[in-house]
Amino acid sequence: MDLSGFLENLGKSDRVFLSLVGDVSGKEVLEIGCGNGLLTVYLALAGANVTAIDDSQVAVENTRSLAEFNDVGSRIDVYKMDAMELGDRGDLEASFDLVVGRFILHHIEPFQRFSWVLNKVLKKGGKGIFLENNARNPLLMFFRRFVVGRFGIPKYGDSQERPFHPSEVEVLKRSFGRVEVHYPEVMFFSLVGAYVFRANPVAMRVSNKIDDFIYSRVPAVHKYSYRQIVKLEKS
Ligand SMILES: C[S@@+](CC[C@H](N)C(=O)[O-])C[C@H]1O[C@@H](n2cnc3c(N)ncnc32)[C@H](O)[C@@H]1O
């Protein structure tokens, strides 16, 4: 599989995420929780030397195959590893200009220790950029907890999973000189529509338009969006 489909179908959050990632040519980049390997391969094609880890063997194999298919196997090292183990790898200390991840931070426990691990593997001045779901909106959290999985509304994640919490952003602020949170889009009605109307195309078009309207007119609610990008820098 080449990456044209991935790039053509990028949503707003991914587009903003990649623009924050910026030029990676010649950089040492770590992706945590590489999953299917699309981001890893994208980064290698953009000229980065990428180390990718995932605690799933299937993810590691998929990432290796995608790298070979796209002729970037030589720029990518893939390991089956829990994120926390990075802290035990002396050889990876202060190794990375950039650490990235999509929907991974909320999987990692205990998060305080991980914040230390992240600090350890980054070079001075190195950055971390993570796309995550956001637990700040009490209405969405209520919907997630009490509505999803009932009344015929499907549940997609497992019961242990929860979105990344503002208190975890505070944990990062204690370890890093600079932490910013970006809200690349309002995702509220589109999320409810995806569940309640099972992504019916008309319902999705309408709910996306409402979210876009809110995003352009009411900046004060951006922080309640279900999507966020956390960007940090090691001073
Ligand atoms: C929600 S998926 C996201 C995958 C990919 N980043 C994407 O955006 O498609 C989370 C991924 O992180 C991996 N993962 C979960 N916990 C992990 C941990 N503690 N250390 C390393 N990888 C982990 C899972 O195996 C899975 O591939």
Side-chain angles (χ1 to χ4, degrees):
M1 175 190 175
D2 67 30
L3 290 204
S4 46
F6 166 68
L7 293 171
E8 274 160 25
N9 294 318
L10 282 183
K12 288 182 210 98
S13 291
D14 275 306
R15 285 200 299 269
V16 176
F17 174 76
L18 291 183
S19 73
L20 289 169
V21 165
D23 180 7
V24 291
S25 182
K27 291 193 176 158
E28 295 298 324
V29 181
L30 167 68
E31 185 185 2
I32 303 178
C34 55
N36 51 24
L38 283 167
L39 177 59
T40 295
V41 170
Y42 166 86
L43 294 165
L45 286 168
N49 299 312
V50 190
T51 300
I53 68 160
D54 199 293
D55 68 356
S56 145
Q57 186 61 36
V58 174
V60 167
E61 280 160 21
N62 287 344
T63 299
R64 281 200 185 119
S65 313
L66 193 67
E68 293 306 329
F69 184 85
N70 285 276
D71 277 335
V72 283
S74 60
R75 307 191 79 96
I76 296 177
D77 290 319
V78 194
Y79 302 107
K80 180 183 179 310
M81 193 195 290
D82 186 287
M84 216 57 95
E85 288 173 44
L86 290 163
D88 307 326
R89 291 278 304 261
D91 57 323
L92 295 181
E93 186 167 347
S95 294
F96 298 104
D97 302 296
L98 177 66
V99 180
V100 294
R102 288 175 78 251
F103 308 112
I104 177 64
L105 295 185
H106 67 283
H107 283 285
I108 304 176
E109 298 284 354
F111 193 70
Q112 194 143 359
R113 161 106 185 145
F114 173 71
S115 182
W116 174 83
V117 168
L118 186 55
N119 200 302
K120 185 171 173 188
V121 297
L122 274 170
K123 294 179 185 173
K124 194 164 185 297
K127 295 188 173 72
I129 305 181
F130 300 92
L131 174 59
E132 283 293 319
N133 291 332
N134 176 16
R136 187 188 291 273
N137 187 327
L139 281 174
L140 286 178
M141 291 309 100
F142 178 89
F143 179 77
R144 204 172 182 279
R145 181 142 186 228
F146 297 109
V147 180
V148 166
R150 296 174 205 186
F151 318 111
I153 294 173
K155 184 178 176 75
Y156 299 116
D158 68 49
S159 46
Q160 308 296 321
E161 260 190 69
R162 81 286 175 292
F164 196 62
H165 196 273
S167 62
E168 292 167 303
V169 175
E170 295 306 312
V171 169
L172 291 172
K173 284 183 180 166
R174 289 197 282 276
S175 298
F176 292 91
R178 200 156 146 205
V179 178
E180 296 165 7
V181 182
H182 298 252
Y183 303 98
E185 60 183 311
V186 160
M187 183 178 277
F188 181 79
F189 288 99
S190 49
L191 186 68
V192 174
Y195 278 91
V196 176
F197 301 108
R198 303 196 179 208
N200 169 286
V202 177
M204 289 315 295
R205 244 193 327 271
V206 173
S207 54
N208 278 324
K209 281 209 179 311
I210 299 173
D211 279 347
D212 289 348
F213 180 80
I214 296 172
Y215 190 74
S216 65
R217 297 296 169 96
V218 200
V221 303
H222 288 183
K223 65 182 180 195
Y224 296 104
S225 171
Y226 197 55
R227 285 277 192 273
Q228 62 185 339
I229 297 170
V230 179
K231 181 176 176 192
L232 53 87
E233 186 170 334
K234 177 171 170 175
S235 46

